[in-house]
Amino acid sequence: MTKPEVLFSEEDIRVRIKAVGAEIGAAFEGRELAVIGLMKSCLVFMADMIRAIPLELTCHTLRVNSARGEGKGQARTEIMYSASIPYEAKDILLLDDIVDTGITLNFLLDHIREGKPRSLKVCALINKPGERKIDVHPDWSAFTLDKAPADRFLVGYGLDHAESHRGLPYIGTIPRPAPSAEGRKITIAPDSLA
Protein backbone atom coordinates (compact mmCIF):
# COMPACT_ATOMS: atom_id res chain seq x y z
CA MET A 1 0.00 0.00 0.00
CA THR A 2 1.35 3.43 -0.97
CA LYS A 3 2.17 5.76 1.95
CA PRO A 4 0.36 9.06 1.33
CA GLU A 5 2.26 12.31 1.06
CA VAL A 6 0.99 14.83 3.63
CA LEU A 7 -0.98 17.70 2.09
CA PHE A 8 -2.64 19.09 5.24
CA SER A 9 -1.18 18.01 8.58
CA GLU A 10 -3.12 17.05 11.69
CA GLU A 11 -2.25 20.48 13.13
CA ASP A 12 -3.35 22.28 9.93
CA ILE A 13 -6.72 20.52 10.19
CA ARG A 14 -7.12 21.25 13.91
CA VAL A 15 -6.46 24.96 13.40
CA ARG A 16 -8.84 25.28 10.44
CA ILE A 17 -11.67 23.31 12.07
CA LYS A 18 -11.45 25.52 15.17
CA ALA A 19 -11.51 28.71 13.06
CA VAL A 20 -14.36 27.60 10.79
CA GLY A 21 -16.36 26.29 13.76
CA ALA A 22 -16.08 29.72 15.41
CA GLU A 23 -17.23 31.45 12.19
CA ILE A 24 -20.25 29.16 11.91
CA GLY A 25 -21.07 29.71 15.59
CA ALA A 26 -21.03 33.48 15.06
CA ALA A 27 -23.20 33.22 11.93
CA PHE A 28 -25.87 31.19 13.75
CA GLU A 29 -25.51 32.77 17.19
CA GLY A 30 -28.49 32.15 19.45
CA ARG A 31 -30.02 29.53 17.16
CA GLU A 32 -30.08 25.75 17.23
CA LEU A 33 -28.42 24.15 14.23
CA ALA A 34 -29.30 20.90 12.45
CA VAL A 35 -26.01 19.53 11.09
CA ILE A 36 -26.20 17.03 8.23
CA GLY A 37 -23.09 15.09 7.23
CA LEU A 38 -22.57 12.95 4.16
CA MET A 39 -21.62 9.34 4.85
CA LYS A 40 -18.97 7.97 4.88
CA SER A 41 -16.16 10.33 3.91
CA CYS A 42 -17.54 13.20 6.00
CA LEU A 43 -17.83 11.38 9.32
CA VAL A 44 -14.42 12.30 10.78
CA PHE A 45 -14.86 15.92 9.64
CA MET A 46 -18.36 15.98 11.12
CA ALA A 47 -17.19 14.60 14.48
CA ASP A 48 -14.59 17.36 14.82
CA MET A 49 -16.78 20.13 13.41
CA ILE A 50 -19.74 19.59 15.74
CA ARG A 51 -17.35 19.89 18.69
CA ALA A 52 -15.92 23.12 17.27
CA ILE A 53 -19.29 24.84 16.76
CA PRO A 54 -20.27 26.55 20.05
CA LEU A 55 -24.03 26.03 19.61
CA GLU A 56 -26.79 23.62 20.52
CA LEU A 57 -27.16 21.30 17.56
CA THR A 58 -28.62 18.07 16.31
CA CYS A 59 -26.77 15.63 14.05
CA HIS A 60 -28.08 13.77 11.02
CA THR A 61 -26.54 11.81 8.15
CA LEU A 62 -27.27 11.27 4.47
CA ARG A 63 -25.75 8.81 2.05
CA VAL A 64 -25.67 9.71 -1.63
CA ASN A 65 -24.81 7.66 -4.69
CA SER A 66 -23.53 9.58 -7.68
CA ALA A 67 -22.90 7.84 -10.99
CA ARG A 68 -21.50 9.42 -14.11
CA GLY A 69 -22.22 7.56 -17.34
CA GLU A 70 -19.96 7.44 -20.37
CA GLY A 71 -22.15 9.60 -22.60
CA LYS A 72 -23.26 13.17 -22.14
CA GLY A 73 -26.23 13.68 -19.86
CA GLN A 74 -25.85 10.27 -18.24
CA ALA A 75 -25.40 11.47 -14.70
CA ARG A 76 -27.50 10.19 -11.86
CA THR A 77 -27.52 11.20 -8.21
CA GLU A 78 -29.77 9.64 -5.62
CA ILE A 79 -30.13 9.55 -1.87
CA MET A 80 -29.37 6.04 -0.65
CA TYR A 81 -29.92 6.59 3.06
CA SER A 82 -31.68 9.29 5.01
CA ALA A 83 -33.02 9.01 8.51
CA SER A 84 -36.00 11.23 9.24
CA ILE A 85 -34.51 14.72 9.07
CA PRO A 86 -36.73 17.61 10.16
CA TYR A 87 -35.86 20.28 7.58
CA GLU A 88 -38.90 22.52 7.91
CA ALA A 89 -38.23 25.87 9.62
CA LYS A 90 -34.77 24.66 10.75
CA ASP A 91 -31.35 26.21 10.32
CA ILE A 92 -29.47 23.55 8.34
CA LEU A 93 -25.72 23.17 7.99
CA LEU A 94 -24.74 20.61 5.35
CA LEU A 95 -21.22 19.20 5.75
CA ASP A 96 -19.61 17.88 2.57
CA ASP A 97 -16.21 16.27 2.26
CA ILE A 98 -15.11 17.54 -1.17
CA VAL A 99 -16.96 19.99 -3.41
CA ASP A 100 -15.57 19.63 -6.92
CA THR A 101 -17.99 19.52 -9.88
CA GLY A 102 -20.88 20.74 -7.72
CA ILE A 103 -23.28 18.21 -9.25
CA THR A 104 -23.90 16.25 -6.06
CA LEU A 105 -24.01 19.38 -3.89
CA ASN A 106 -26.55 21.03 -6.20
CA PHE A 107 -28.73 17.90 -6.04
CA LEU A 108 -28.59 17.89 -2.23
CA LEU A 109 -29.36 21.59 -1.92
CA ASP A 110 -32.45 21.15 -4.12
CA HIS A 111 -33.52 18.14 -2.04
CA ILE A 112 -33.14 19.96 1.29
CA ARG A 113 -34.82 23.16 0.03
CA GLU A 114 -37.93 21.09 -0.78
CA GLY A 115 -38.24 20.57 2.99
CA LYS A 116 -38.53 24.35 3.52
CA PRO A 117 -35.70 25.02 5.99
CA ARG A 118 -35.41 28.49 7.55
CA SER A 119 -31.81 28.66 6.32
CA LEU A 120 -29.38 26.36 4.52
CA LYS A 121 -25.59 26.74 4.54
CA VAL A 122 -22.77 24.46 3.37
CA CYS A 123 -19.40 23.77 4.92
CA ALA A 124 -16.89 21.70 2.93
CA LEU A 125 -13.75 20.06 4.15
CA ILE A 126 -12.12 20.71 0.77
CA ASN A 127 -13.33 23.08 -1.94
CA LYS A 128 -12.03 22.59 -5.49
CA PRO A 129 -13.48 25.59 -7.39
CA GLY A 130 -11.42 24.87 -10.52
CA GLU A 131 -13.37 21.64 -11.14
CA ARG A 132 -16.86 23.19 -10.94
CA LYS A 133 -19.42 22.21 -13.60
CA ILE A 134 -22.38 23.78 -11.76
CA ASP A 135 -22.19 27.24 -10.21
CA VAL A 136 -22.64 26.24 -6.58
CA HIS A 137 -20.27 27.10 -3.75
CA PRO A 138 -19.86 26.24 -0.06
CA ASP A 139 -20.35 29.04 2.45
CA TRP A 140 -17.29 27.84 4.38
CA SER A 141 -14.45 25.49 3.60
CA ALA A 142 -11.60 24.27 5.73
CA PHE A 143 -9.27 24.12 2.72
CA THR A 144 -9.43 25.36 -0.86
CA LEU A 145 -7.45 23.74 -3.66
CA ASP A 146 -7.51 26.16 -6.58
CA LYS A 147 -5.51 23.74 -8.68
CA ALA A 148 -5.65 20.21 -7.33
CA PRO A 149 -2.93 17.88 -8.66
CA ALA A 150 -4.53 15.93 -11.53
CA ASP A 151 -2.37 12.87 -10.97
CA ARG A 152 -3.02 12.62 -7.20
CA PHE A 153 -5.95 11.31 -5.14
CA LEU A 154 -6.91 12.80 -1.72
CA VAL A 155 -7.03 10.39 1.23
CA GLY A 156 -7.06 10.48 5.02
CA TYR A 157 -9.17 12.22 7.67
CA GLY A 158 -12.16 10.17 6.51
CA LEU A 159 -11.37 10.37 2.79
CA ASP A 160 -10.59 7.05 1.17
CA HIS A 161 -9.46 5.27 -1.93
CA ALA A 162 -11.17 1.87 -2.17
CA GLU A 163 -11.97 2.12 1.58
CA SER A 164 -8.27 2.51 2.50
CA HIS A 165 -6.61 5.41 4.36
CA ARG A 166 -9.79 6.74 6.08
CA GLY A 167 -8.21 6.56 9.54
CA LEU A 168 -5.19 8.76 8.82
CA PRO A 169 -5.13 11.86 11.08
CA TYR A 170 -4.01 14.06 8.16
CA ILE A 171 -5.09 14.65 4.56
CA GLY A 172 -2.62 13.26 2.10
CA THR A 173 -2.31 12.33 -1.53
CA ILE A 174 -1.51 9.10 -3.33
CA PRO A 175 -0.87 8.56 -7.04
CA ARG A 176 -4.16 8.41 -8.94
CA PRO A 177 -4.72 4.85 -10.12
CA ALA A 178 -4.63 4.37 -13.89
CA PRO A 179 -8.06 3.72 -15.42
CA SER A 180 -8.70 0.15 -16.41
CA ALA A 181 -8.78 -0.84 -20.08
CA GLU A 182 -12.53 -1.52 -19.74
CA GLY A 183 -13.29 1.98 -18.49
CA ARG A 184 -15.06 2.91 -15.31
CA LYS A 185 -18.01 0.77 -14.29
CA ILE A 186 -20.43 1.89 -11.62
CA THR A 187 -23.16 -0.25 -10.16
CA ILE A 188 -26.25 1.70 -9.19
CA ALA A 189 -28.46 0.44 -6.41
CA PRO A 190 -32.19 -0.20 -7.02
CA ASP A 191 -34.54 2.76 -7.19
CA SER A 192 -36.30 1.93 -3.93
CA LEU A 193 -35.89 4.73 -1.41
CA ALA A 194 -38.12 3.99 1.53
Side-chain angles (χ1 to χ4, degrees):
M1 184 181 299
T2 305
K3 181 173 174 56
E5 293 179 13
V6 176
L7 180 62
F8 301 113
S9 71
E10 191 171 358
E11 178 64 10
D12 294 335
I13 295 169
R14 187 191 66 74
V15 168
R16 285 299 299 146
I17 296 298
K18 183 177 180 182
V20 173
E23 289 176 22
I24 292 169
F28 288 97
E29 187 174 4
R31 290 143 62 184
E32 183 177 322
L33 200 54
V35 180
I36 301 170
L38 297 184
M39 295 171 33
K40 306 178 204 174
S41 293
C42 201
L43 293 179
V44 176
F45 174 46
M46 183 176 185
D48 285 348
M49 186 56 73
I50 63 172
R51 290 178 289 182
I53 299 171
L55 298 173
E56 288 296 320
L57 49 81
T58 58
C59 298
H60 312 274
T61 56
L62 281 175
R63 186 163 186 181
V64 177
N65 183 32
S66 297
R68 307 290 173 251
E70 293 177 15
K72 289 188 176 182
Q74 293 182 348
R76 179 173 170 182
T77 303
E78 60 186 345
I79 294 174
M80 301 302 296
Y81 167 81
S82 171
S84 178
I85 301 174
Y87 296 129
E88 189 170 358
K90 299 283 186 185
D91 293 305
I92 306 289
L93 177 67
L94 177 64
L95 299 180
D96 199 348
D97 54 347
I98 300 174
V99 177
D100 45 26
T101 64
I103 293 169
T104 300
L105 179 57
N106 188 62
F107 170 84
L108 285 169
L109 292 175
D110 286 347
H111 165 74
I112 294 170
R113 285 182 186 122
E114 287 176 5
K116 300 182 176 29
R118 175 170 42 223
S119 67
L120 173 57
K121 300 289 185 184
V122 177
C123 179
L125 174 60
I126 297 174
N127 183 21
K128 294 179 168 182
E131 297 183 20
R132 212 68 94 238
K133 292 183 178 174
I134 293 180
D135 188 24
V136 60
H137 305 278
D139 299 280
W140 296 276
S141 55
F143 302 100
T144 297
L145 293 175
D146 290 315
K147 188 162 173 70
D151 60 341
R152 307 290 291 179
F153 199 87
L154 297 173
V155 294
Y157 195 67
L159 307 175
D160 76 300
H161 176 263
E163 294 299 328
S164 294
H165 305 296
R166 281 194 199 277
L168 295 173
Y170 60 88
I171 297 170
T173 66
I174 58 172
R176 185 175 290 278
S180 70
E182 298 176 16
R184 184 175 173 197
K185 292 185 176 180
I186 299 173
T187 303
I188 299 175
D191 288 329
S192 59
L193 293 175

